[in-house]
Amino acid sequence: GIGQSENLTKIGVMLSVLPDMASIGGQAASLAKNILIHGHSVQNIGVMEPLSTNVYVNRRTANRIGVSINEQALNLATEVID
């Protein structure tokens, strides 16, 4: 299955993809700085998507259900659980 939590992947979900919360905090700080210090209007800022994501792969679960994940995909993962 696919989830949205590193912990779920560690207990058996095959794949989780979630925004990098530290990156989102940095983005929020940048937005606050632009509003509070530089006087930018909130209406003109718009919506920002997360700049980075975390991908967790449980290779043990993938093997158990017969899914093969190539090395290139594994190399892109934030963490691979064996």
Side-chain angles (χ1 to χ4, degrees):
I2 298 176
Q4 295 181 332
S5 164
E6 175 185 359
N7 290 333
L8 287 176
T9 308
K10 288 181 177 181
I11 63 171
V13 169
M14 184 180 71
L15 173 74
S16 288
V17 179
L18 55 149
D20 181 340
M21 298 310 282
S23 174
I24 289 175
Q27 285 177 263
S30 177
L31 287 173
K33 179 179 176 183
N34 285 333
I35 294 166
L36 298 172
I37 295 175
H38 300 296
H40 293 178
S41 170
V42 174
Q43 290 83 6
N44 296 330
I45 291 177
V47 176
M48 294 178 69
E49 293 188 19
L51 294 176
S52 66
T53 56
N54 291 320
V55 177
Y56 299 93
V57 177
N58 187 319
R59 188 171 14 204
R60 182 178 53 235
T61 298
N63 291 337
R64 192 172 346 149
I65 63 174
V67 174
S68 65
I69 303 171
N70 70 34
E71 282 300 313
Q72 185 178 8
L74 292 172
N75 289 335
L76 294 174
T78 305
E79 183 177 352
V80 177
I81 294 104
D82 285 311

Coordinates of all heavy atoms in Angstrom, one line a residue:
G1 N 0.8 -1.2 0.0 CA 0.0 0.0 0.0 C 0.9 1.3 0.0 O 2.1 1.2 0.1
I2 N 0.2 2.4 -0.2 CA 0.8 3.7 -0.2 C 0.3 4.5 1.0 O -0.9 4.5 1.3 CB 0.6 4.4 -1.5 CG1 1.2 3.6 -2.7 CG2 1.2 5.8 -1.5 CD1 0.9 4.1 -4.0
G3 N 1.2 5.2 1.7 CA 0.8 6.0 2.8 C 1.4 7.3 2.8 O 2.1 7.7 1.9
Q4 N 1.2 8.0 3.9 CA 1.7 9.4 4.1 C 2.4 9.6 5.4 O 2.3 10.6 6.0 CB 0.6 10.4 4.0 CG -0.1 10.4 2.6 CD -1.2 11.5 2.6 OE1 -1.8 11.8 3.6 NE2 -1.5 12.0 1.4
S5 N 3.2 8.5 5.8 CA 3.9 8.6 7.0 C 5.1 7.7 7.0 O 5.0 6.5 6.6 CB 2.9 8.1 8.2 OG 3.6 7.8 9.3
E6 N 6.2 8.2 7.5 CA 7.4 7.4 7.6 C 7.2 6.2 8.5 O 7.6 5.1 8.3 CB 8.5 8.3 8.2 CG 9.8 7.6 8.5 CD 10.9 8.5 9.1 OE1 10.6 9.7 9.3 OE2 11.9 7.9 9.5
N7 N 6.5 6.5 9.6 CA 6.2 5.4 10.6 C 5.4 4.3 10.0 O 5.6 3.1 10.2 CB 5.5 5.9 11.8 CG 6.4 6.8 12.7 OD1 7.6 6.6 12.7 ND2 5.9 7.7 13.4
L8 N 4.4 4.6 9.2 CA 3.6 3.6 8.5 C 4.4 2.7 7.6 O 4.3 1.5 7.5 CB 2.4 4.2 7.7 CG 1.3 4.8 8.5 CD1 0.3 5.4 7.5 CD2 0.6 3.7 9.3
T9 N 5.4 3.4 6.9 CA 6.3 2.6 6.0 C 7.2 1.7 6.9 O 7.4 0.5 6.5 CB 7.2 3.6 5.2 OG1 6.3 4.5 4.6 CG2 8.0 2.8 4.2
K10 N 7.6 2.1 8.0 CA 8.4 1.3 8.9 C 7.7 0.0 9.4 O 8.3 -1.0 9.6 CB 9.0 2.1 10.0 CG 10.1 3.0 9.6 CD 10.7 3.8 10.7 CE 11.8 4.7 10.2 NZ 12.4 5.5 11.3
I11 N 6.4 0.2 9.5 CA 5.6 -1.0 10.0 C 5.0 -1.8 8.9 O 4.3 -2.8 9.2 CB 4.6 -0.6 11.1 CG1 3.5 0.3 10.5 CG2 5.2 0.0 12.3 CD1 2.3 0.6 11.4
G12 N 5.2 -1.5 7.6 CA 4.7 -2.3 6.6 C 4.2 -1.7 5.3 O 4.0 -2.4 4.3
V13 N 3.8 -0.5 5.3 CA 3.3 0.1 4.1 C 4.5 0.2 3.1 O 5.6 0.5 3.5 CB 2.8 1.6 4.4 CG1 2.5 2.3 3.1 CG2 1.5 1.5 5.2
M14 N 4.2 -0.1 1.8 CA 5.3 -0.2 0.9 C 6.0 1.1 0.5 O 7.2 1.2 0.3 CB 4.8 -0.9 -0.4 CG 5.9 -1.1 -1.4 SD 5.4 -1.8 -3.0 CE 4.4 -0.5 -3.7
L15 N 5.2 2.2 0.5 CA 5.7 3.5 0.0 C 4.9 4.6 0.7 O 3.7 4.6 0.8 CB 5.5 3.6 -1.5 CG 5.8 4.9 -2.2 CD1 7.3 5.1 -2.3 CD2 5.2 4.9 -3.6
S16 N 5.7 5.6 1.1 CA 5.1 6.8 1.6 C 5.7 8.0 1.0 O 7.0 8.1 0.8 CB 5.2 7.0 3.1 OG 4.4 6.1 3.8
V17 N 4.9 9.0 0.6 CA 5.4 10.2 0.0 C 4.8 11.4 0.8 O 3.6 11.4 0.9 CB 5.1 10.4 -1.5 CG1 5.6 11.7 -2.1 CG2 5.6 9.2 -2.3
L18 N 5.6 12.3 1.3 CA 5.1 13.4 2.1 C 5.9 14.6 2.0 O 7.1 14.5 1.7 CB 4.9 12.9 3.6 CG 6.1 12.4 4.3 CD1 6.0 12.8 5.8 CD2 6.2 10.9 4.2
P19 N 5.3 15.8 2.2 CA 6.1 17.0 2.1 C 7.2 17.0 3.2 O 7.0 16.5 4.3 CB 5.1 18.1 2.3 CG 3.9 17.5 2.8 CD 4.0 16.0 2.5
D20 N 8.3 17.7 2.9 CA 9.4 17.8 3.9 C 9.0 19.0 4.8 O 9.0 20.1 4.4 CB 10.7 18.2 3.1 CG 11.9 18.3 4.0 OD1 11.7 18.6 5.3 OD2 13.0 18.2 3.5
M21 N 8.6 18.6 6.1 CA 8.1 19.6 7.0 C 9.2 20.7 7.3 O 8.8 21.9 7.5 CB 7.6 18.9 8.3 CG 6.5 18.0 8.0 SD 5.1 18.6 7.0 CE 4.3 19.6 8.3
A22 N 10.4 20.4 7.4 CA 11.5 21.4 7.6 C 11.5 22.4 6.5 O 11.6 23.6 6.7 CB 12.8 20.7 7.8
S23 N 11.3 21.9 5.3 CA 11.3 22.8 4.1 C 10.1 23.7 4.1 O 10.2 24.9 3.8 CB 11.3 22.0 2.8 OG 11.2 22.8 1.7
I24 N 9.0 23.2 4.5 CA 7.7 24.0 4.6 C 7.9 25.0 5.7 O 7.5 26.2 5.5 CB 6.5 23.1 4.9 CG1 6.2 22.2 3.7 CG2 5.3 23.9 5.4 CD1 5.1 21.2 3.9
G25 N 8.6 24.7 6.8 CA 8.8 25.7 7.8 C 9.7 26.9 7.3 O 9.4 28.1 7.6
G26 N 10.7 26.6 6.5 CA 11.5 27.6 5.8 C 10.7 28.5 4.9 O 10.9 29.7 4.8
Q27 N 9.8 27.8 4.1 CA 9.0 28.6 3.2 C 8.0 29.5 4.0 O 7.8 30.7 3.6 CB 8.1 27.6 2.4 CG 8.9 26.9 1.3 CD 8.0 25.9 0.5 OE1 8.0 24.8 0.8 NE2 7.2 26.4 -0.4
A28 N 7.5 29.0 5.1 CA 6.6 29.8 5.9 C 7.3 31.0 6.5 O 6.8 32.2 6.5 CB 6.0 29.0 7.0
A29 N 8.6 30.8 6.9 CA 9.4 31.9 7.5 C 9.6 32.9 6.4 O 9.6 34.2 6.6 CB 10.7 31.4 8.0
S30 N 9.9 32.5 5.2 CA 10.2 33.4 4.1 C 8.9 34.2 3.7 O 9.0 35.4 3.5 CB 10.6 32.6 2.8 OG 10.8 33.4 1.7
L31 N 7.8 33.6 3.7 CA 6.5 34.3 3.5 C 6.3 35.3 4.6 O 5.9 36.5 4.3 CB 5.3 33.3 3.4 CG 5.2 32.4 2.2 CD1 4.1 31.4 2.4 CD2 5.0 33.3 1.0
A32 N 6.5 35.0 5.8 CA 6.3 35.9 7.0 C 7.2 37.1 6.8 O 6.8 38.2 7.0 CB 6.5 35.2 8.3
K33 N 8.5 36.8 6.5 CA 9.4 37.9 6.3 C 9.0 38.9 5.2 O 9.1 40.1 5.4 CB 10.8 37.3 6.0 CG 11.9 38.3 5.7 CD 13.2 37.6 5.4 CE 14.3 38.6 5.1 NZ 15.6 37.9 4.8
N34 N 8.5 38.3 4.1 CA 8.1 39.2 3.0 C 6.9 40.0 3.4 O 6.8 41.2 3.0 CB 7.7 38.3 1.7 CG 8.9 37.8 1.0 OD1 10.0 38.4 1.1 ND2 8.8 36.7 0.4
I35 N 6.0 39.5 4.2 CA 4.8 40.2 4.6 C 5.2 41.3 5.7 O 4.9 42.4 5.6 CB 3.7 39.3 5.2 CG1 3.2 38.4 4.0 CG2 2.6 40.1 5.8 CD1 2.4 37.2 4.5
L36 N 5.9 40.8 6.8 CA 6.2 41.6 7.9 C 7.3 42.6 7.7 O 7.2 43.8 8.2 CB 6.5 40.8 9.1 CG 5.3 39.8 9.6 CD1 5.8 38.9 10.6 CD2 4.1 40.6 10.0
I37 N 8.3 42.2 7.0 CA 9.5 43.1 6.9 C 9.5 43.9 5.6 O 9.7 45.1 5.6 CB 10.8 42.3 7.0 CG1 10.9 41.8 8.4 CG2 12.0 43.2 6.7 CD1 12.1 40.8 8.7
H38 N 9.1 43.2 4.5 CA 9.1 43.9 3.2 C 7.8 44.5 2.8 O 7.7 45.1 1.8 CB 9.6 42.9 2.1 CG 11.0 42.4 2.4 ND1 12.1 43.2 2.4 CD2 11.5 41.2 2.7 CE1 13.2 42.5 2.7 NE2 12.8 41.2 2.9
G39 N 6.7 44.3 3.6 CA 5.5 44.9 3.4 C 4.7 44.3 2.2 O 3.8 45.0 1.7
H40 N 5.0 43.1 1.7 CA 4.3 42.5 0.6 C 2.8 42.3 1.0 O 2.6 41.9 2.2 CB 4.9 41.2 0.1 CG 6.3 41.5 -0.5 ND1 7.0 40.4 -0.9 CD2 7.0 42.6 -0.7 CE1 8.2 40.9 -1.4 NE2 8.1 42.2 -1.3
S41 N 1.9 42.4 0.1 CA 0.5 42.2 0.4 C 0.2 40.7 0.4 O 0.7 40.0 -0.5 CB -0.3 42.9 -0.7 OG -1.7 42.5 -0.6
V42 N -0.5 40.2 1.3 CA -0.9 38.8 1.4 C -1.7 38.4 0.2 O -1.5 37.3 -0.3 CB -1.8 38.6 2.7 CG1 -2.3 37.1 2.7 CG2 -1.0 38.9 3.9
Q43 N -2.5 39.3 -0.4 CA -3.3 38.9 -1.5 C -2.4 38.6 -2.8 O -2.8 37.9 -3.7 CB -4.3 40.1 -1.9 CG -5.4 40.2 -0.9 CD -5.0 41.0 0.3 OE1 -3.9 41.6 0.4 NE2 -5.9 41.1 1.3
N44 N -1.2 39.2 -2.8 CA -0.4 39.0 -4.0 C 0.6 37.9 -3.9 O 1.4 37.6 -4.8 CB 0.4 40.3 -4.2 CG -0.5 41.5 -4.6 OD1 -1.6 41.3 -5.2 ND2 -0.1 42.7 -4.3
I45 N 0.7 37.2 -2.7 CA 1.7 36.2 -2.5 C 1.2 34.9 -3.2 O 2.0 34.2 -3.8 CB 2.0 35.9 -1.0 CG1 2.7 37.2 -0.5 CG2 2.8 34.7 -0.8 CD1 3.0 37.2 0.9
G46 N 0.0 34.4 -3.0 CA -0.5 33.2 -3.6 C -0.1 32.0 -2.8 O 0.5 32.0 -1.7
V47 N -0.4 30.8 -3.4 CA -0.2 29.6 -2.8 C 1.2 29.0 -3.2 O 1.5 29.1 -4.4 CB -1.3 28.6 -3.2 CG1 -1.0 27.2 -2.6 CG2 -2.6 29.1 -2.7
M48 N 1.9 28.4 -2.3 CA 3.2 27.8 -2.6 C 3.1 26.3 -2.4 O 2.5 25.9 -1.4 CB 4.3 28.4 -1.8 CG 4.6 29.8 -2.0 SD 5.9 30.4 -0.9 CE 7.3 29.5 -1.5
E49 N 3.6 25.5 -3.3 CA 3.7 24.1 -3.1 C 5.0 23.8 -2.4 O 6.0 24.6 -2.4 CB 3.7 23.4 -4.5 CG 2.4 23.5 -5.2 CD 2.3 22.7 -6.4 OE1 3.1 21.7 -6.6 OE2 1.5 23.0 -7.3
P50 N 5.0 22.7 -1.7 CA 6.3 22.3 -1.0 C 7.5 22.2 -1.9 O 7.3 21.7 -3.1 CB 6.0 20.9 -0.4 CG 4.5 20.8 -0.3 CD 4.0 21.7 -1.4
L51 N 8.6 22.7 -1.5 CA 9.8 22.7 -2.4 C 10.4 21.3 -2.4 O 11.2 21.0 -3.4 CB 10.8 23.7 -1.9 CG 10.4 25.2 -2.0 CD1 11.4 26.1 -1.5 CD2 10.1 25.5 -3.5
S52 N 10.2 20.5 -1.4 CA 10.8 19.2 -1.4 C 9.9 18.2 -0.7 O 9.0 18.5 0.0 CB 12.2 19.2 -0.7 OG 12.1 19.4 0.6
T53 N 10.1 16.9 -1.1 CA 9.3 15.8 -0.5 C 10.2 14.8 0.1 O 11.4 14.7 -0.3 CB 8.4 15.2 -1.5 OG1 9.2 14.7 -2.6 CG2 7.3 16.2 -2.1
N54 N 9.7 14.0 0.9 CA 10.4 12.8 1.4 C 9.7 11.5 0.9 O 8.4 11.5 0.9 CB 10.3 12.8 3.0 CG 11.2 13.9 3.6 OD1 12.3 14.2 3.1 ND2 10.7 14.5 4.6
V55 N 10.5 10.6 0.5 CA 9.9 9.3 0.0 C 10.5 8.2 0.8 O 11.8 8.1 0.9 CB 10.3 9.1 -1.5 CG1 9.8 7.8 -2.0 CG2 9.8 10.3 -2.4
Y56 N 9.7 7.4 1.4 CA 10.1 6.2 2.2 C 9.6 5.0 1.5 O 8.5 4.8 1.1 CB 9.5 6.3 3.6 CG 10.0 7.6 4.3 CD1 9.2 8.7 4.3 CD2 11.2 7.6 5.0 CE1 9.7 9.9 4.9 CE2 11.6 8.7 5.6 CZ 10.9 9.9 5.6 OH 11.3 11.0 6.2
V57 N 10.5 4.0 1.3 CA 10.2 2.7 0.6 C 10.5 1.6 1.6 O 11.6 1.5 2.1 CB 11.1 2.6 -0.7 CG1 10.8 1.2 -1.3 CG2 10.8 3.7 -1.6
N58 N 9.6 0.7 1.7 CA 9.8 -0.5 2.5 C 10.0 -1.7 1.5 O 9.1 -2.2 0.9 CB 8.6 -0.8 3.3 CG 8.8 -2.0 4.3 OD1 9.4 -3.0 3.9 ND2 8.3 -1.8 5.5
R59 N 11.3 -2.0 1.2 CA 11.7 -3.0 0.3 C 11.2 -4.4 0.7 O 10.9 -5.2 -0.1 CB 13.2 -3.0 0.0 CG 13.7 -3.8 -1.1 CD 15.1 -3.7 -1.5 NE 16.0 -3.1 -0.6 CZ 17.1 -2.5 -1.0 NH1 17.5 -2.5 -2.3 NH2 17.9 -1.9 -0.1
R60 N 11.2 -4.6 2.0 CA 10.7 -5.9 2.5 C 9.3 -6.2 2.1 O 8.9 -7.2 1.6 CB 10.9 -5.9 4.0 CG 10.5 -7.2 4.7 CD 10.7 -7.2 6.2 NE 10.1 -6.0 6.8 CZ 10.7 -5.1 7.6 NH1 12.0 -5.2 7.8 NH2 10.0 -4.1 8.1
T61 N 8.4 -5.1 2.2 CA 7.0 -5.3 1.8 C 6.9 -5.4 0.3 O 6.1 -6.3 -0.1 CB 6.2 -4.1 2.3 OG1 6.2 -4.0 3.7 CG2 4.8 -4.2 1.8
A62 N 7.7 -4.7 -0.4 CA 7.6 -4.8 -1.9 C 8.0 -6.2 -2.3 O 7.3 -6.8 -3.2 CB 8.6 -3.8 -2.5
N63 N 9.0 -6.7 -1.8 CA 9.4 -8.1 -2.1 C 8.4 -9.1 -1.7 O 8.1 -10.0 -2.5 CB 10.8 -8.5 -1.4 CG 11.9 -7.7 -2.0 OD1 11.9 -7.2 -3.1 ND2 13.0 -7.6 -1.2
R64 N 7.7 -8.9 -0.6 CA 6.7 -9.8 -0.1 C 5.5 -9.9 -1.0 O 4.9 -10.9 -1.2 CB 6.3 -9.5 1.3 CG 5.4 -10.5 2.0 CD 5.2 -10.2 3.5 NE 6.1 -9.1 4.0 CZ 5.8 -8.3 4.9 NH1 4.6 -8.3 5.5 NH2 6.6 -7.3 5.3
I65 N 5.1 -8.7 -1.6 CA 4.0 -8.7 -2.5 C 4.3 -8.8 -4.0 O 3.5 -8.7 -4.9 CB 3.1 -7.5 -2.2 CG1 3.8 -6.2 -2.6 CG2 2.5 -7.5 -0.8 CD1 3.0 -4.9 -2.4
G66 N 5.6 -9.0 -4.3 CA 6.1 -9.3 -5.6 C 6.3 -8.0 -6.5 O 6.2 -8.1 -7.7
V67 N 6.5 -6.9 -5.8 CA 6.8 -5.7 -6.6 C 8.3 -5.4 -6.6 O 8.9 -5.4 -5.5 CB 6.1 -4.5 -5.9 CG1 6.5 -3.2 -6.6 CG2 4.6 -4.7 -5.9
S68 N 8.9 -5.3 -7.8 CA 10.3 -4.9 -7.9 C 10.5 -3.4 -8.1 O 9.7 -2.8 -8.8 CB 10.9 -5.7 -9.0 OG 10.4 -5.3 -10.3
I69 N 11.4 -2.9 -7.3 CA 11.7 -1.5 -7.4 C 13.1 -1.3 -7.9 O 14.0 -1.8 -7.3 CB 11.5 -0.8 -6.0 CG1 10.1 -1.0 -5.5 CG2 11.8 0.7 -6.1 CD1 9.9 -0.6 -4.1
N70 N 13.3 -0.6 -9.0 CA 14.6 -0.5 -9.6 C 15.5 0.4 -8.7 O 15.1 1.2 -7.9 CB 14.6 0.0 -11.0 CG 14.2 1.4 -11.2 OD1 14.5 2.2 -10.4 ND2 13.5 1.7 -12.3
E71 N 16.8 0.2 -8.9 CA 17.8 0.9 -8.1 C 17.8 2.4 -8.2 O 18.0 3.1 -7.2 CB 19.2 0.4 -8.4 CG 19.6 -1.0 -7.8 CD 19.5 -1.0 -6.3 OE1 20.1 -0.1 -5.7 OE2 18.9 -2.0 -5.8
Q72 N 17.4 2.9 -9.4 CA 17.3 4.3 -9.6 C 16.2 4.9 -8.7 O 16.4 5.9 -8.1 CB 17.0 4.6 -11.1 CG 17.0 6.1 -11.3 CD 16.8 6.4 -12.8 OE1 16.5 5.5 -13.6 NE2 16.9 7.7 -13.2
A73 N 15.1 4.2 -8.6 CA 14.0 4.7 -7.7 C 14.4 4.6 -6.3 O 14.1 5.5 -5.5 CB 12.8 3.9 -8.0
L74 N 15.1 3.5 -5.9 CA 15.6 3.4 -4.5 C 16.6 4.5 -4.2 O 16.6 5.0 -3.0 CB 16.2 2.0 -4.3 CG 15.2 0.8 -4.4 CD1 16.0 -0.5 -4.3 CD2 14.2 0.9 -3.2
N75 N 17.4 4.9 -5.1 CA 18.4 5.9 -4.9 C 17.7 7.3 -4.6 O 18.3 8.1 -4.0 CB 19.4 6.0 -6.0 CG 20.3 4.8 -6.1 OD1 20.6 4.2 -5.1 ND2 20.9 4.5 -7.2
L76 N 16.5 7.5 -5.2 CA 15.8 8.7 -5.0 C 15.1 8.8 -3.6 O 14.7 9.9 -3.2 CB 14.8 8.9 -6.1 CG 15.4 9.1 -7.5 CD1 14.3 9.2 -8.5 CD2 16.2 10.4 -7.5
A77 N 14.9 7.6 -3.0 CA 14.2 7.6 -1.7 C 15.0 8.3 -0.6 O 16.2 8.2 -0.5 CB 13.9 6.1 -1.3
T78 N 14.2 8.9 0.3 CA 14.8 9.5 1.5 C 15.4 8.4 2.4 O 16.5 8.5 3.0 CB 13.8 10.3 2.2 OG1 13.2 11.3 1.3 CG2 14.4 11.0 3.5
E79 N 14.6 7.3 2.5 CA 15.0 6.2 3.3 C 14.4 4.9 2.7 O 13.3 4.9 2.3 CB 14.6 6.3 4.7 CG 15.0 5.2 5.6 CD 14.6 5.4 7.1 OE1 14.1 6.5 7.4 OE2 14.8 4.5 7.9
V80 N 15.2 3.8 2.7 CA 14.8 2.5 2.2 C 14.8 1.6 3.5 O 15.9 1.5 4.1 CB 15.7 2.0 1.1 CG1 15.2 0.6 0.7 CG2 15.6 2.9 -0.1
I81 N 13.7 1.0 3.8 CA 13.6 0.1 4.9 C 13.7 -1.3 4.4 O 13.0 -1.7 3.5 CB 12.3 0.3 5.7 CG1 12.2 1.7 6.3 CG2 12.1 -0.8 6.7 CD1 11.3 2.6 5.6
D82 N 14.7 -2.1 4.9 CA 14.9 -3.4 4.5 C 14.4 -4.4 5.5 O 14.3 -4.3 6.6 CB 16.4 -3.7 4.3 CG 16.9 -3.1 3.0 OD1 16.3 -3.2 2.0 OD2 18.0 -2.4 3.1

